[in-house]
Amino acid sequence: MAILKIARMGHPVLSEICAQVRDPAAPELRRLIADMIETMADANGAGLAAPQVHVPLRLVIFQAPASRSNDTGADEPESFDHAAPLTVLINPVIEVLDTTLEGGWEGCLSVPGLRGWVDRPRHIRYSGVDAEGRRVQRDARGFHARVVQHECDHINGVLYPQRMRDLSKLTFESEFRHWLDHSEEKRAAE
Ligand code: NI
């Protein structure tokens, strides 16, 4: 395994519409997935998309620990939607279940040192296949929905600042930590 170099905003690979993965079981894809998992852990990120490591394929990894959920009052089945284990998602498709927008702070390993406030649909269903070629389909809310949408934007060449409606809410991480409520900090997606 290896820690891969992460492309930063401005690199053309981050603007590409990525290609479908033809063979999820290919050995070189397994190696890429293992390296992406190691790279994400090393960078302390919540998600990583293949183009961020200079590979323009429709492949993302992410996790949404329950501790990062901003859910407070949902019932049991709904709170389940807020968390996800480390997930490999190949050729993902997103369906928006509730177009109501929810704001949250995001960061990105390709936009180091910055945080921005991004509105996104709060309830989605996503599907794809995992590293073993098994079909994955889940409903997601809260941070879980946010991180999946953020990662899937990457494979369509979109970075979170392009989703921002108010650029006055683009901040340096150090100022963000200094000035903003720490409960908000916990909600920041990668
Ligand atoms: Ni990102």
Side-chain angles (χ1 to χ4, degrees):
M1 296 212 294
I3 293 171
L4 304 171
K5 185 177 181 191
I6 296 174
R8 297 192 304 166
M9 181 166 62
H11 192 294
V13 74
L14 295 173
S15 303
E16 283 191 44
I17 305 290
C18 296
Q20 291 277 333
V21 173
R22 301 250 172 243
D23 179 10
E28 61 270 24
L29 200 75
R30 286 186 175 277
R31 205 170 314 123
L32 172 63
I33 290 167
D35 288 347
M36 283 175 63
I37 290 171
E38 193 177 6
T39 301
M40 184 176 81
D42 177 70
N44 200 25
L48 188 67
Q52 291 184 277
V53 292
H54 307 85
V55 179
L57 288 175
R58 305 187 82 78
L59 158 65
V60 302
I61 63 173
F62 58 86
Q63 54 195 344
S67 60
R68 294 184 78 156
S69 165
N70 60 4
D71 172 39
T72 45
D75 61 23
E76 196 80 0
E78 288 202 354
S79 50
F80 180 77
D81 294 344
H82 283 256
L86 176 59
T87 299
V88 175
L89 200 58
I90 297 166
N91 299 332
V93 174
I94 290 180
E95 179 191 352
V96 174
L97 298 179
D98 181 351
T99 53
T100 307
L101 298 177
E102 193 170 74
W105 290 102
E106 298 192 13
C108 182
L109 297 175
S110 294
V111 191
L114 296 177
R115 296 279 182 197
W117 183 262
V118 185
D119 291 318
R120 295 190 187 272
R122 64 180 180 184
H123 189 196
I124 63 166
R125 175 170 296 154
Y126 62 90
S127 57
V129 296
D130 68 12
E132 278 70 49
R134 292 175 302 213
R135 185 164 173 79
V136 176
Q137 182 181 293
R138 291 190 196 131
D139 287 9
R141 298 170 195 265
F143 178 82
H144 183 191
R146 178 171 302 283
V147 73
V148 170
Q149 291 176 83
H150 176 119
E151 298 314 322
C152 290
D153 267 356
H154 275 299
I155 61 174
N156 291 316
V158 174
L159 299 175
Y160 81 80
Q162 293 164 256
R163 292 282 186 204
M164 292 182 65
R165 297 194 297 184
D166 177 0
L167 286 173
S168 73
K169 290 184 173 170
L170 184 63
T171 73
F172 284 105
E173 207 163 30
S174 51
E175 302 299 327
F176 173 86
R177 286 185 198 286
H178 192 76
W179 296 105
L180 292 171
D181 177 0
H182 284 257
S183 64
E184 293 290 335
E185 182 184 338
K186 283 193 206 120
R187 294 175 199 167
E190 299 295 337

